[in-house]
Amino acid sequence: MARTHHAPRNSFLVPGITRHTRSAVYAKKALYKRKKVPVPKSDAKPELAKTVPIKGDKNGGQRLVPVNKAPRFYPAEDVPKPKKSRKINKPTKLRSSITPGTVLVLLAGRFRGKRVVFLKQLPSGLLLITGPYKFNGVPLRRVNQAYVISTSTKLDISGVSIDKFDDKYFKKEKESTKKGTEEDFFAGGDKKKRPFPENKATDQKNVDKTLVSAIRKTPHLRDYLRARFSLSKNVFPHNLKF
């Protein structure tokens, strides 16, 4: 009887490209049925030396020797060691055209095209902005200065209290990743929408109250913030004066 050679299930179509993907092989081998048993981590430190008895009257009786004997020869090639990084995270430099109270145009995100008011720069380098929410629906949020256009329109925001806002203020709470039961899945796996915190809603109203009073002092500024920025035909952004 002729001897047949075993062919691998996931053969190569061309060098570097297999017939099945990693996920397909995972399903074919039923690797999802295997239980992953974590190896318990031991707190005991490995022994580096051991005590060995020594024969003879004048040898001390015992000697401390290393567990792993050092190699007799040095390696032929030097083993490269990674260099220690001396880089220091420098604070992000704010553009000279962006000052507190400057009206910005958002270029990305769900509020792209909206005009917002810049309040201050946070320690992370991000910009703290608001619509205000009462005019164009943009709440207090953080944006990168790479995705905004600064305009020549400025507001006096000296009366706005923004000392409490930092990066920790916008940090979201971690949700529990506990899996539900089978009954919960068939009953309806729709996640309940988390209610908006009342303290943040109050902070938004307090900031908007001061900003709205300052905006209404300038004619047409309210309509300017409500209007969405857009480009029409034969209008080029590099020729515009913002």
Side-chain angles (χ1 to χ4, degrees), residues 66-101:
V67 175
N68 297 323
K69 191 176 180 181
R72 187 177 179 185
F73 301 101
Y74 290 104
E77 297 180 359
D78 295 333
V79 179
K81 295 182 179 180
K83 293 183 178 179
K84 292 183 179 180
S85 177
R86 298 181 182 177
K87 294 181 180 179
I88 301 175
N89 293 331
K90 298 180 181 179
T92 306
K93 186 178 180 181
L94 188 64
R95 278 187 289 180
S96 58
S97 59
I98 301 177
T99 56

Side-chain angles (χ1 to χ4, degrees), residues 136-156:
N136 51 24
V138 182
L140 285 163
R141 60 190 289 114
R142 299 175 295 175
V143 295
N144 195 316
Q145 63 176 336
Y147 302 105
V148 300
I149 296 177
S150 60
T151 65
S152 56
T153 307
K154 298 183 184 298
L155 289 173
D156 182 16

Side-chain angles (χ1 to χ4, degrees), residues 48-214:
L48 302 177
K50 61 181 179 180
T51 305
V52 178
I54 302 296
K55 296 181 180 179
D57 299 335
K58 299 181 181 180
N59 292 329
Q62 58 184 9
R63 191 169 297 169
L64 194 66
V65 296
V67 175
N68 297 323
K69 191 176 180 181
R72 187 177 179 185
F73 301 101
Y74 290 104
E77 297 180 359
D78 295 333
V79 179
K81 295 182 179 180
K83 293 183 178 179
K84 292 183 179 180
S85 177
R86 298 181 182 177
K87 294 181 180 179
I88 301 175
N89 293 331
K90 298 180 181 179
T92 306
K93 186 178 180 181
L94 188 64
R95 278 187 289 180
S96 58
S97 59
I98 301 177
T99 56
T102 304
V103 176
L104 308 175
V105 179
L106 300 181
L107 301 178
R110 58 178 295 198
F111 298 109
R112 58 182 175 274
K114 296 274 190 177
R115 293 182 172 92
V116 296
V117 180
F118 168 66
L119 300 178
K120 70 172 183 178
Q121 186 182 26
L122 300 175
S124 61
L126 300 176
L127 310 182
L128 177 65
I129 56 101
T130 185
Y133 183 79
K134 187 175 182 179
F135 286 168
N136 51 24
V138 182
L140 285 163
R141 60 190 289 114
R142 299 175 295 175
V143 295
N144 195 316
Q145 63 176 336
Y147 302 105
V148 300
I149 296 177
S150 60
T151 65
S152 56
T153 307
K154 298 183 184 298
L155 289 173
D156 182 16
I157 62 168
S158 57
V160 182
S161 178
I162 53 177
D163 297 334
K164 66 181 298 184
F165 301 109
D166 53 5
D167 293 301
K168 294 181 180 179
Y169 181 84
F170 296 95
K171 190 176 182 181
K172 294 182 179 180
E173 297 180 359
K174 291 185 179 180
E175 297 181 359
S176 60
T177 57
K178 187 178 180 181
K179 295 182 180 179
T181 60
E182 188 175 353
E183 290 78 8
D184 296 337
F185 177 78
F186 287 105
D190 298 338
K191 294 183 178 179
K192 294 182 180 179
K193 190 175 181 180
R194 182 180 296 180
F196 192 74
E198 295 183 0
N199 60 332
K200 291 189 177 182
T202 306
D203 295 338
Q204 181 71 59
K205 292 179 181 178
N206 294 335
V207 173
D208 284 3
K209 185 178 180 181
T210 312
L211 275 178
V212 167
S213 60

Side-chain angles (χ1 to χ4, degrees), residues 9-36:
R9 178 182 295 176
N10 195 15
S11 57
F12 284 93
L13 299 176
V14 293
I17 300 178
T18 55
R19 183 177 298 275
H20 304 294
T21 60
R22 287 188 296 176
S23 58
V25 174
Y26 183 84
K28 286 179 178 294
K29 290 184 177 181
L31 296 177
Y32 53 87
K33 293 183 179 180
R34 299 183 183 180
K35 293 183 178 180
K36 296 182 179 180

